[in-house]
Amino acid sequence: MEPTIIQRKAGQRAKVTVLCLTYNHQHYIEDALQGFLNQETTFPFEIIIHDDASTDRTPEILQEWQKRYPDKITLVLEKENQFSKHVFFLQSIMLPMAQGRYVAICEGDDFWTCTTKLQQQFDSLEQHPTATCCVCDVVEYDDRTHKRTSKIYSDSNLKESGLVPRSKIVEEITCDYPFQTSGYFFRTDTLLTPRNENERRLFEIAFDRAIQLSLASRGDFYYIKKTMSCYRVNVKGSISNTWAFNDEFFRISRRIHMNVFDLFDKATNGQYHSLMASAIEHWKTELDRSEIGALLSQGKFKDIYENYRHTTAYHKYMGRKIKLLCFLRMTPKIMYVYNWWKDR
């Protein structure tokens, strides 16, 4: 089923396109929109908003704002949820619609706090042609307390604004999450077409890391050491909030990380193979550690010994007493003697 597209009025060709992704953001989308429209720039920019078949009032709110700013806002209103179909609509729908040679991203529950964010990032990429992306610091905003937290999404090793080599960005992404999506500003043509089938699949399973890895593999990043955006956390019903407090979703996310780095390794023909292999081993250890913990809580020592005794997680995180119990469960006669000795 084709989406409804409400196109902005023809005017000056935009040099920058703001892409906003929304789903059930009725309580937050106006903060995001206000942050976009508050931008002070010397160039024309447009706003394209993709709503993934929200079931709340988000589509109605968007249409109200589009009527108020018809020269700025274009809407793509889905009738069927695309995320559930593994459709990467940023690449398949939104980027092909973008007029600007640069793109800024912000999801509908996040918001910008600096009125010159677009201008500063535009100037940075204009002055540094080897950079594919410009990033900034992003502060965490707790939706439960309605206050900013002390957490800043940034690279703590970077002390000042400047170019960051692509190899360093790739290395950081394998074990951390150095920059948050609402701070991204990149060259449109870098992500328009996947370089091969593996990169296309990469975008189907991971949004943030796929963008970071693909951009970093194509050029350096320019970093602005300034907080210019807020990432909202503890948003009721959000995927990240669901995954943070659910052990099974936590384990699924670890499997996704492993798959992401494997696909990226293949997409780049092994250019960063040692980094990707190390990353996959790291997330495999985290996954095993979580699965061992789940089995421990159920008292399944035999299963742990049979399935995990050769893993890094077993030897790195299991105490001697637990290892002994796991071994004894494999030998009932010795376990009988152990229990007799313990209880006498």
Side-chain angles (χ1 to χ4, degrees):
M1 197 177 294
E2 292 296 312
T4 298
I5 298 178
I6 304 175
Q7 191 73 45
R8 74 184 183 101
K9 288 183 179 179
Q12 276 187 296
R13 184 174 182 84
K15 288 189 176 181
V16 171
T17 300
V18 178
L19 299 183
C20 179
L21 302 92
T22 68
Y23 178 71
N24 286 354
H25 289 155
Q26 65 178 2
H27 300 300
Y28 316 111
I29 187 60
E30 292 186 294
D31 288 342
L33 289 167
Q34 198 61 64
F36 305 155
L37 294 163
N38 284 346
Q39 292 298 301
E40 301 166 1
T41 66
T42 58
F43 51 81
F45 68 91
E46 64 176 346
I47 303 164
I48 301 177
I49 306 170
H50 179 276
D51 180 77
D52 201 17
S54 291
T55 57
D56 64 2
R57 288 195 65 253
T58 304
E60 287 85 352
I61 295 170
L62 291 174
Q63 290 177 74
E64 291 169 6
W65 280 70
Q66 200 280 334
K67 289 176 182 176
R68 288 161 58 185
Y69 301 94
D71 58 328
K72 283 282 190 188
I73 298 175
T74 293
L75 300 182
V76 181
L77 306 175
E78 296 288 354
K79 298 181 177 69
E80 296 177 337
N81 186 269
Q82 301 300 299
F83 179 83
S84 61
K85 298 179 181 179
H86 305 289
V87 174
F88 184 61
F89 38 77
L90 180 73
Q91 203 165 47
S92 62
I93 299 173
M94 301 182 77
L95 281 175
M97 294 177 65
Q99 282 189 1
R101 67 174 183 268
Y102 299 114
V103 163
I105 298 180
C106 186
E107 295 188 54
D109 54 350
D110 301 329
F111 58 98
W112 296 342
T113 56
C114 177
T115 58
T116 59
K117 175 185 179 294
L118 289 184
Q119 186 68 57
Q120 290 184 59
Q121 293 186 306
F122 176 89
D123 293 342
S124 297
L125 288 192
E126 287 282 285
Q127 295 163 17
H128 298 90
T130 65
T132 56
C133 182
C134 181
V135 292
C136 63
D137 290 346
V138 177
V139 68
E140 190 174 82
Y141 181 89
D142 193 329
D143 195 52
R144 289 182 302 194
T145 62
H146 302 292
K147 293 180 180 178
R148 298 184 186 187
T149 73
S150 58
K151 183 174 177 60
I152 301 288
Y153 288 83
S154 180
D155 185 334
S156 59
N157 296 315
L158 300 176
K159 305 303 180 186
E160 59 185 16
S161 300
L163 280 174
V164 185
R166 66 181 75 182
S167 57
K168 177 174 173 53
I169 295 294
V170 172
E171 183 176 3
E172 286 287 324
I173 296 168
T174 58
C175 57
D176 200 359
Y177 187 68
F179 302 107
Q180 203 275 330
T181 320
S182 63
Y184 296 178
F185 184 99
F186 57 88
R187 301 183 193 278
T188 308
D189 58 3
T190 53
L191 292 186
L192 262 176
T193 306
R195 51 162 64 93
N196 52 40
E197 177 63 15
N198 286 309
E199 188 170 70
R200 187 193 66 76
R201 290 174 58 205
L202 175 65
F203 279 106
E204 286 182 354
I205 66 169
F207 176 62
D208 298 356
R209 286 185 192 273
I211 292 175
Q212 286 186 337
L213 286 166
S214 292
L215 288 170
S217 69
R218 289 170 165 85
D220 303 326
F221 276 28
Y222 190 86
Y223 166 65
I224 298 177
K225 191 170 181 59
K226 182 178 181 180
T227 300
M228 297 195 283
S229 183
C230 276
Y231 168 56
R232 207 185 296 262
V233 297
N234 294 319
V235 174
K236 187 176 180 181
S238 72
I239 291 176
S240 57
N241 201 47
T242 301
W243 284 33
F245 299 102
N246 185 295
D247 289 340
E248 183 54 35
F249 279 127
F250 176 87
R251 289 189 280 276
I252 290 171
S253 73
R254 270 50 193 164
R255 294 188 188 98
I256 290 174
H257 288 336
M258 292 162 60
N259 201 3
V260 162
F261 297 127
D262 180 56
L263 285 171
F264 180 73
D265 189 30
K266 293 172 181 174
T268 54
N269 297 315
Q271 184 178 354
Y272 304 95
H273 179 70
S274 60
L275 278 174
M276 296 304 108
S278 177
I280 290 169
E281 175 59 27
H282 167 76
W283 293 110
K284 175 67 165 61
T285 300
E286 289 295 304
L287 174 62
D288 289 344
R289 183 183 184 184
S290 177
E291 290 180 338
I292 289 171
L295 291 171
L296 273 176
S297 67
Q298 301 170 51
K300 294 183 177 180
F301 299 100
K302 182 179 178 180
D303 290 348
I304 294 172
Y305 187 80
E306 286 181 334
N307 300 312
Y308 295 95
R309 70 180 184 275
H310 298 302
T311 66
T312 301
Y314 181 86
H315 293 285
K316 186 175 181 180
Y317 297 112
M318 297 280 283
R320 291 181 180 178
K321 183 177 179 181
I322 299 297
K323 289 179 183 176
L324 177 61
L325 284 172
C326 291
F327 171 72
L328 292 175
R329 290 289 183 183
M330 294 297 296
T331 51
K333 289 183 179 179
I334 297 178
M335 190 68 194
Y336 175 80
V337 174
Y338 171 77
N339 285 331
W340 170 80
W341 174 82
K342 185 180 67 171
D343 297 333
R344 68 188 175 87

